[in-house]
Amino acid sequence: MGEFNEKATCGTVCLKYLLFTFNCCFWLAGLAVMAVGIWTLALKSDYISLLASGTYLATAYILVVAGVVVMVTGVLGCCATFKERRKLLRLYFILLLIIFLLEIIAGILAYIYYQQLNTELKENLKDTMTKRYHQPGHEGVTSAVDKLQQEFHCCGSNNSQDWRDSEWVRSGQAGGRVVPDSCCKTLVPGCGQRDHASNIYKVEGGCITKLETFIQEHLRVIGAVGVGIGCVQVFGMIFTCCLYRSLKLEHY
């Protein structure tokens, strides 16, 4: 019986250090997850106003929330491990499971939206650009369109001819411009009055393909982070169950 208890204690110590190491890595992973979410919201969200669906934004918020919870859970995991409190271990396991589900959901949302993105942009981007550009209450769209056209060297959704349907151009508010100044290769006030290929991004094509590629690349990052960290957490849940069982054996 004494030999059994000694082996159980030795196994518990090994599990404690394994779980502690996992918690340290887990805390860093939580920081990485939160950083990806914040990166999406702060630096990659310029074009969110051009998207009809809120899925792209939702995945970023899920990652931020999951990252914060992961970091808090990592501290709880360390306490549960070294204090050998089975109640804390149960709580730690439940939180790991919740975070795991959150990150898997973020990954699945990213994958689904990745598949639907092309259809959404084809159905909505041209209307968004032509009906909301320089319209009252749509300053975010105006800023996003200007940045999109300058950053990706494109003009219009499919091509520069899209701007002929623009309410801004038709209303006369454009001041003689046939395309926004952001379509110009050299950006100067009023340059959009001339739509020759030497002046604007005419032969380079529309923005729809370039925006789709940009968002798809970022969705791959979100999906990979969500699913990758989620899979790592499976090991944490296994270690937690093993330690919980080991403490239960020692108790008896």
Side-chain angles (χ1 to χ4, degrees), residues 33-34 51-52 77 107-108 146 152 164 170 172 183 189 207 232 235 240:
V33 169
M34 186 173 66
L51 304 175
I108 291 171
D146 285 337
F152 292 107
R164 292 181 177 180
R170 288 180 171 183
C183 282
C207 299
V232 170
F235 292 100
T240 303

Side-chain angles (χ1 to χ4, degrees), residues 16-129:
K16 280 171 63 175
Y17 281 104
L18 275 173
L19 197 52
F20 175 75
T21 303
F22 171 80
N23 280 322
C24 292
C25 296
F26 191 47
W27 193 89
L28 292 173
L31 186 63
V33 169
M34 186 173 66
V36 169
I38 293 173
W39 174 61
T40 301
L41 295 173
L43 301 177
K44 301 294 179 181
S45 61
D46 303 293
Y47 309 124
I48 286 176
S49 58
L50 300 178
L51 304 175
S53 169
T55 309
Y56 182 68
L57 191 60
T59 55
Y61 277 119
I62 288 174
L63 287 181
V64 172
V65 171
V68 172
V69 178
V70 163
M71 295 175 73
V72 173
T73 303
V75 175
L76 175 64
C78 289
C79 295
T81 302
F82 284 100
K83 290 188 177 182
E84 298 185 1
R85 300 282 180 84
R86 293 175 63 212
K87 287 183 179 179
L88 281 178
L89 283 173
R90 280 200 297 267
L91 178 60
Y92 177 59
F93 179 86
I94 291 169
L95 287 174
L96 278 180
L97 184 60
I98 291 170
I99 298 164
F100 173 77
L101 292 174
L102 278 175
E103 289 172 343
I104 292 298
I105 288 169
I108 291 171
L109 283 175
Y111 176 77
I112 292 172
Y113 192 54
Y114 183 93
Q115 302 298 319
Q116 296 175 344
L117 183 61
N118 180 267
T119 302
E120 179 187 314
L121 290 177
K122 283 181 178 178
E123 290 177 352
N124 299 293
L125 185 60
K126 181 181 176 181
D127 282 349
T128 300
M129 293 175 77

Side-chain angles (χ1 to χ4, degrees), residues 181-193:
D181 290 343
S182 55
C183 282
C184 299
K185 296 178 179 179
T186 302
L187 186 59
V188 293
C191 63
Q193 294 176 356

Side-chain angles (χ1 to χ4, degrees), residues 1-11:
M1 188 70 179
E3 185 180 348
F4 173 78
N5 287 333
E6 186 179 340
K7 288 182 178 178
T9 302
C10 182

